[in-house]
Amino acid sequence: VLVIMFHGIEKASTETMDPKNISSKDFKKLMNDLHELGFTAINTQQLADFLYTNAKIPSRSVLLVVDDRKFAENFNTWFRPYWNEWGWPVVNSWISAFGGADNVLAENVALEKEGWVDHQAHGVVHNTPMGDDSTDEYLRSELQGSIDVFQQYYGKTPIAIIWPGGGFGVRPVQMARQLGYKLGFTVNPRGPLMFNWIPQADADDPANQYDIAEGPVGDPLLTLPRYWDTDAASKLDEIRIMGNEAAAYAEQVKPVELDYYDIVCAPTLGPIPAGSP
């Protein structure tokens, strides 16, 4: 699974006003390249089911994550065409700062009900990243506060926290886990994700203050990486090769794993059902 975050998409075909944004031309090329390489977009629940129980998803999957509150026009302009043509959903990192007074809440709730925009938590205050130096009160207000807003207005409980500003730590992750979050997303550009294989770093990157080491936290599923949209295009071939190598390795070790199952697991669980991959 490749996770890509979109900060903003600018209508200018080439030059962008904000270096964190992607131009319309590059956005369309990225989406078409993903499709041509055989990727299929999935939603957050599909990703959670895959990472937790190895549930079946497309062999090349992509999670498209749009950061921050957006007008419905943003989703209708940029992402609805791919939903209509390819059935590709998109995830939104929703900031819950304004609760029911949010001027774009109603139109986002309507998109959620359509079933193709999957809103997930992106904090409440949002502009102050969560970290190990945050108070328990602040962590709870950001994490439980998001849950409360979602349950009241979206009629669902978020399963993912897209860490605001990429900030996380041992205590934020532990509280997120206690409150029932299943997934957490950093801004660290590592990947792709595979079942039982999540790329992590053991040390911070001194050249990038946002690149916090995930390893010491000890909870890979709540510190998942995601590529910036402006960087993802240059990684697609590398990710494709990694996926092919992983598939080849799986075939190589399959006989040994099947023997192990027959010896250790089959006496209790029974034989593997015929026709299972």
Side-chain angles (χ1 to χ4, degrees):
V1 183
L2 170 63
V3 184
I4 303 177
M5 63 172 165
F6 297 88
H7 179 267
I9 304 167
E10 297 189 10
K11 293 182 179 180
S13 61
T14 53
E15 297 296 325
T16 57
M17 299 295 292
D18 187 331
K20 297 189 295 293
N21 292 346
I22 189 171
S23 69
S24 61
K25 178 181 178 180
D26 288 343
F27 168 74
K28 293 173 183 177
K29 184 178 187 305
L30 173 60
M31 297 294 275
N32 287 328
D33 286 349
L34 286 166
H35 189 255
E36 289 177 5
L37 286 172
F39 282 88
T40 299
I42 60 175
N43 62 31
T44 315
Q45 188 62 59
Q46 288 176 285
L47 177 61
D49 291 342
F50 168 65
L51 293 178
Y52 277 86
T53 67
N54 204 17
K56 187 173 180 60
I57 58 173
S59 58
R60 289 182 184 171
S61 294
V62 60
L63 193 77
L64 307 168
V65 184
V66 176
D67 274 353
D68 304 337
R69 299 161 51 256
K70 295 287 192 293
F71 285 96
E73 179 186 9
N74 175 80
F75 297 103
N76 289 326
T77 298
W78 302 115
F79 293 95
R80 188 182 287 275
Y82 303 104
W83 166 253
N84 291 339
E85 185 174 358
W86 301 333
W88 283 17
V90 62
V91 178
N92 178 234
S93 309
W94 180 260
I95 302 171
S96 297
F98 304 107
D102 197 310
N103 67 326
V104 298
L105 176 64
E107 57 196 74
N108 274 272
V109 169
L111 290 173
E112 176 80 28
K113 288 181 178 178
E114 285 189 46
W116 64 280
V117 181
D118 173 22
H119 294 81
Q120 295 295 330
H122 198 32
V124 179
V125 173
H126 169 265
N127 286 329
T128 303
M130 289 174 268
D132 284 324
D133 57 348
S134 302
T135 65
D136 285 347
E137 291 75 16
Y138 182 71
L139 295 179
R140 187 168 294 277
S141 69
E142 287 291 284
L143 295 166
Q144 184 63 52
S146 294
I147 292 173
D148 293 343
V149 167
F150 269 75
Q151 289 178 339
Q152 182 173 358
Y153 299 106
Y154 281 105
K156 73 175 192 178
T157 300
I159 62 170
I161 175 67
I162 292 91
W163 296 107
F168 62 91
V170 174
R171 289 178 51 248
V173 165
Q174 288 176 344
M175 185 173 289
R177 181 66 72 185
Q178 291 166 5
L179 292 174
Y181 286 95
K182 298 295 185 183
L183 304 173
F185 295 93
T186 71
V187 293
N188 297 339
R190 309 185 226 288
L193 312 179
M194 302 181 194
F195 179 68
N196 261 353
W197 190 86
I198 307 296
Q200 305 263 277
D202 292 325
D204 295 348
D205 182 354
N208 184 352
Q209 63 175 323
Y210 301 107
D211 194 339
I212 306 169
E214 309 95 336
V217 173
D219 195 334
L221 297 185
L222 281 175
T223 52
L224 298 168
R226 54 185 180 142
Y227 285 106
W228 284 88
D229 50 8
T230 52
D231 187 43
S234 66
K235 304 293 184 181
L236 292 183
D237 201 49
E238 174 186 326
I239 290 166
R240 179 188 61 80
I241 292 171
M242 290 177 68
N244 290 343
E245 290 175 345
Y249 178 74
E251 284 299 315
Q252 177 185 336
V253 301
K254 185 175 181 179
V256 176
E257 293 187 339
L258 290 175
D259 286 343
Y260 177 89
Y261 186 92
D262 288 341
I263 296 169
V264 178
C265 306
T268 301
L269 302 176
I272 296 176
S276 295

